[in-house]
C-alpha cells in the first residue's frame, strides 16, 4: 500500500526548521544542563533528512538551466577544494586543524544540501502566511520563557554566541513590525506591539551592535515598501531620536547598556571592534592571488568578519562571481520584493529577514557557520526562480 505524504506539509515543516528550528534546538541545553550537541545533532539530522526528501521529490526541477543551483553547487565544491588545499599548505593552530572534517561536514550537509533543497521548492504551493504566524508565536514564546528563566536563574536559555542571541530578538522585531504595517487586521495590535518591544529589548540586552543595525536596515526597507510619507517621516524621526539617545547615553548613562556604547563608538569614532587588522590581512591575502584567492582562514581560525572580504580572500574574484551569480533571479524579479501590490505579501517579510542576515555577514560570521544567511538567500532565490518559470504542478 502506497503511503501518501502531504508535500505542502513537508514544505512547511522544512521551512520552519530552517527559519526557527535552530533557535528551538539551542533553547534546551542550558535549562536542562545538557551538552548542546545533544540537541544540535538531532536538529541537523532533521534538516538533512528533509533536504534529501525534498530534493528526491522535486528532482524533476533540477536542471542545468537553473543557474542558481549550478552557482550554489559550483561554489561550495570550489570552496571545499580551497579548504583542503589551505589545510594542507598553510599553517594553522592545532585546535583549528582538528575541525577540518567538521567544517567539510557543515558545508556539505548544513549549507549545500539544504540550500539546494530550498532552491527546488515550488513556492507557489507554500503557505507563507501560516509559516509567518508560527514563527511569530515560536519566537515570542521562547523569549517569554527566556526572561522567566532569566529572572529565576540570572541567565538566558539559549546556547549561542551573543551576537546570534541578539538576532533572535531582531527576527521577532522584524516579523512583528511587518505584521503591524501590512497584516494588522489578522492579529491583536497589543500582541504585536508586545512582540515588537520584546524583540527590541532582547536586541539591546544582547550587547551586540549587529542586530541593532539589522533591524534599522530591515525596518527602513519595510517603511519604504509601505509607500506612505507619514510612516517614512515617523521612521526618520525615530532614527534621529535613537541616535540622540545613543549620544545621551554615552554622556550620562555610565555605560549601562553595552550595545549603545558600541553603537556610539562606531558612529562617533569609526570603531570596528578590532576588525580593522582583519580587513587589512584579508586584502593582503587577496592581493597576493586575486583570481582564486589564498588561505580560507587566518592561522588562528579567525575570518575577516565581512562576506565580501572573505570571499575575495578565500576564493578570489572567481569565487566572488560564482557565489553571487545565484542571486541573478532575484535581480531579474526584484518587483516581487519591492512592489507591494505584486505577488504574495508574505514574500516581503522573508526578504526583510534576509536583509537582517545580509547585514550580519557584513560584520560577523564566516561563510559556512551562518546557515541562516544561506537559507534565507536560497528562499528568496527560490521564490524568484518560481516566479520566473511560473512552475505549476
Amino acid at each position: 500500500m502506497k503511503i501518501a505524504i502531504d508535500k505542502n506539509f513537508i514544505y512547511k515543516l522544512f521551512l520552519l526548521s530552517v527559519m526557527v528550528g535552530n533557535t528551538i534546538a539551542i533553547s534546551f541545553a542550558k535549562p536542562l544542563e545538557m551538552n548542546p550537541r545533544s540537541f544540535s545533532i538531532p536538529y541537523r539530522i532533521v534538516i538533512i533528512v528533509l533536504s534529501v526528501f525534498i530534493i528526491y521529490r522535486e528532482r524533476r526541477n533540477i536542471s542545468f538551466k537553473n543557474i542558481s543551483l549550478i552557482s550554489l553547487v559550483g561554489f561550495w565544491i570550489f570552496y571545499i577544494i580551497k579548504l583542503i588545499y589551505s589545510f594542507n599548505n598553510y599553517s594553522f593552530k592545532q585546535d583549528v586543524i582538528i575541525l577540518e572534517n567538521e567544517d567539510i561536514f557543515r558545508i556539505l550537509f548544513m549549507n549545500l544540501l539544504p540550500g539546494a533543497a530550498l532552491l527546488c521548492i515550488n513556492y507557489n504551493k507554500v503557505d507563507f502566511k501560516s509559516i509567518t504566524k508560527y514563527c511569530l508565536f515560536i519566537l515570542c514564546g521562547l523569549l517569554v520563557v527566556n526572561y522567566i528563566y532569566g529572572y529565576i536563574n540570572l541567565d538566558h536559555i539559549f546556547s549561542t554566541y551573543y551576537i546570534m542571541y541578539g538576532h533572535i530578538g531582531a527576527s521577532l522585531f522584524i516579523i512583528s513590525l511587518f505584521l503591524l504595517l501590512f497584516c494588522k487586521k489578522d492579529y491583536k495590535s497589543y500582541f504585536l506591539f508586545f512582540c515588537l518591544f520584546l524583540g527590541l529589548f532582547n536586541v539591546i540586552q544582547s550587547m551586540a551592535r549587529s542586530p541593532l543595525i539589522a533591524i534599522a536596515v530591515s525596518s527602513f526597507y519595510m517603511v519604504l515598501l509601505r509607500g506612505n510619507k507619514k510612516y517614512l517621516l515617523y521612521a526618520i524621526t525615530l532614527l534621529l531620536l535613537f541616535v540622540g539617545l545613543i549620544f545621551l547615553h554615552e554622556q550620562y548613562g555610565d555605560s549601562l547598556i553595552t550595545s549603545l556604547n558600541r553603537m556610539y563608538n562606531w558612529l562617533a569614532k569609526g570603531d570596528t571592534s578590532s576588525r580593522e587588522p582583519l580587513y587589512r590581512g584579508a586584502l593582503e591575502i587577496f592581493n597576493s592571488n586575486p583570481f582564486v584567492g589564498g588561505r580560507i582562514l587566518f592561522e588562528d581560525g579567525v575570518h575577516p568578519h565581512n562576506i565580501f572580504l572573505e570571499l575575495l580572500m578565500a576564493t578570489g574574484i572567481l569565487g566572488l562571481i560564482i557565489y553571487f551569480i545565484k542571486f541573478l533571479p532575484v535581480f531579474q524579479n526584484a518587483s516581487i520584493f519591492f512592489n507591494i501590490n505584486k505577488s504574495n505579501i508574505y514574500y516581503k517579510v522573508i526578504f526583510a529577514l534576509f536583509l537582517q542576515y545580509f547585514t550580519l555577514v557584513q560584520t560577523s560570521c564566516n561563510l559556512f557557520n551562518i546557515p541562516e544567511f544561506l537559507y534565507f538567500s536560497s528562499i528568496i532565490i527560490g521564490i524568484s526562480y518560481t516566479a520566473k518559470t511560473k512552475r505549476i504542478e
Side-chain angles (χ1 to χ4, degrees):
M1 182 176 67
K2 186 176 181 180
I3 299 175
I5 299 176
D6 186 349
K7 190 186 300 185
N8 293 335
F9 171 77
I10 297 296
Y11 282 170
K12 185 180 294 185
L13 179 62
F14 183 52
L15 287 166
L16 283 170
S17 297
V18 299
M19 291 171 69
V20 294
N22 185 55
T23 305
I24 297 172
I26 63 175
S27 68
F28 288 102
K30 291 177 74 172
L32 297 177
E33 297 182 350
M34 295 175 64
N35 189 327
R37 283 180 172 267
S38 299
F39 299 96
S40 64
I41 291 176
Y43 167 71
R44 292 179 182 184
I45 292 173
V46 169
I47 293 294
I48 292 169
V49 171
L50 289 174
S51 298
V52 171
F53 178 82
I54 288 173
I55 290 172
Y56 175 75
R57 288 293 297 266
E58 304 297 337
R59 60 192 181 279
R60 66 184 179 279
N61 294 325
I62 299 174
S63 167
F64 286 109
K65 294 180 181 179
N66 189 337
I67 191 170
S68 297
L69 189 59
I70 294 172
S71 168
L72 177 76
V73 174
F75 174 80
W76 286 117
I77 290 174
F78 178 42
Y79 189 88
I80 289 174
I81 293 171
K82 286 299 304 288
L83 182 151
I84 295 171
Y85 179 84
S86 292
F87 277 106
N88 288 332
N89 291 274
Y90 296 100
S91 60
F92 289 94
K93 291 185 177 180
Q94 188 59 37
D95 59 340
V96 179
I97 294 174
I98 61 176
L99 294 176
E100 179 181 0
N101 290 334
E102 183 175 335
D103 290 344
I104 294 174
F105 174 88
R106 181 184 292 274
I107 290 168
L108 288 174
F109 297 104
M110 296 307 295
N111 289 7
L112 175 56
L113 190 64
L118 288 166
L119 291 180
C120 292
I121 292 175
N122 182 349
Y123 286 93
N124 286 331
K125 303 294 184 179
V126 175
D127 181 8
F128 275 110
K129 181 178 181 179
S130 64
I131 287 173
T132 302
K133 182 178 180 179
Y134 284 128
C135 287
L136 177 74
F137 285 119
I138 288 170
L139 292 172
C140 177
L142 287 174
L143 285 180
V144 168
V145 171
N146 177 57
Y147 285 110
I148 294 173
Y149 177 84
Y151 178 78
I152 298 171
N153 294 283
L154 302 179
D155 197 1
H156 61 77
I157 64 174
F158 301 105
S159 308
T160 190
Y161 191 47
Y162 78 101
I163 293 176
M164 298 310 299
Y165 173 66
H167 278 274
I168 296 171
S171 293
L172 180 60
F173 179 95
I174 290 166
I175 294 172
S176 303
L177 181 60
F178 170 83
L179 294 174
L180 277 167
L181 289 174
F182 302 105
C183 307
K184 192 176 179 179
K185 66 180 184 302
D186 297 327
Y187 298 86
K188 299 292 185 182
S189 295
Y190 65 83
F191 173 67
L192 292 179
F193 277 111
F194 171 75
C195 292
L196 189 79
F197 288 108
L198 179 64
L200 181 60
F201 180 77
N202 191 77
V203 167
I204 294 174
Q205 193 215 24
S206 72
M207 302 185 294
R209 180 183 60 192
S210 168
L212 280 171
I213 301 173
I215 63 174
V217 171
S218 297
S219 299
F220 187 66
Y221 158 72
M222 288 186 283
V223 170
L224 285 179
L225 191 64
R226 190 69 172 79
N228 189 313
K229 293 181 180 179
K230 181 176 68 174
Y231 283 96
L232 183 60
L233 180 61
Y234 289 160
I236 294 172
T237 302
L238 285 172
L239 178 61
L240 292 175
L241 287 173
F242 183 68
V243 172
L245 176 64
I246 291 171
F247 280 82
L248 284 173
H249 176 268
E250 183 65 23
Q251 295 297 318
Y252 306 107
D254 295 325
S255 300
L256 181 65
I257 304 176
T258 303
S259 57
L260 296 187
N261 295 335
R262 298 186 70 189
M263 285 294 292
Y264 173 83
N265 291 332
W266 177 58
L267 290 171
K269 303 177 183 178
D271 178 56
T272 59
S273 300
S274 303
R275 286 166 169 74
E276 193 65 35
L278 300 177
Y279 296 161
R280 290 197 301 269
L283 286 173
E284 289 173 4
I285 293 171
F286 164 67
N287 288 330
S288 67
N289 198 338
F291 186 62
V292 295
R295 61 191 302 152
I296 61 161
L297 296 169
F298 295 115
E299 184 177 2
D300 56 0
V302 175
H303 46 88
H305 287 74
N306 178 281
I307 188 173
F308 293 97
L309 288 177
E310 185 173 0
L311 282 167
L312 290 172
M313 166 184 157
T315 62
I317 295 172
L318 177 62
L320 182 75
I321 293 171
I322 295 173
Y323 188 88
F324 281 105
I325 281 177
K326 67 183 180 183
F327 287 99
L328 187 59
V330 179
F331 290 105
Q332 292 174 331
N333 299 276
S335 60
I336 292 174
F337 306 108
F338 289 94
N339 187 335
I340 191 65
N341 297 316
K342 187 170 183 179
S343 73
N344 190 330
I345 182 66
Y346 289 93
Y347 290 168
K348 282 70 173 176
V349 71
I350 300 299
F351 191 78
L353 291 167
F354 160 77
L355 285 177
Q356 175 196 183
Y357 288 105
F358 182 71
T359 304
L360 169 64
V361 296
Q362 307 312 309
T363 59
S364 300
C365 305
N366 75 356
L367 285 170
F368 56 84
N369 72 0
I370 181 66
E372 290 86 354
F373 174 65
L374 175 67
Y375 296 160
F376 280 103
S377 297
S378 291
I379 294 172
I380 66 166
I381 293 166
I383 289 171
S384 303
Y385 185 75
T386 297
K388 177 183 176 183
T389 57
K390 294 182 173 59
R391 289 186 290 180
I392 44 179
E393 298 183 343

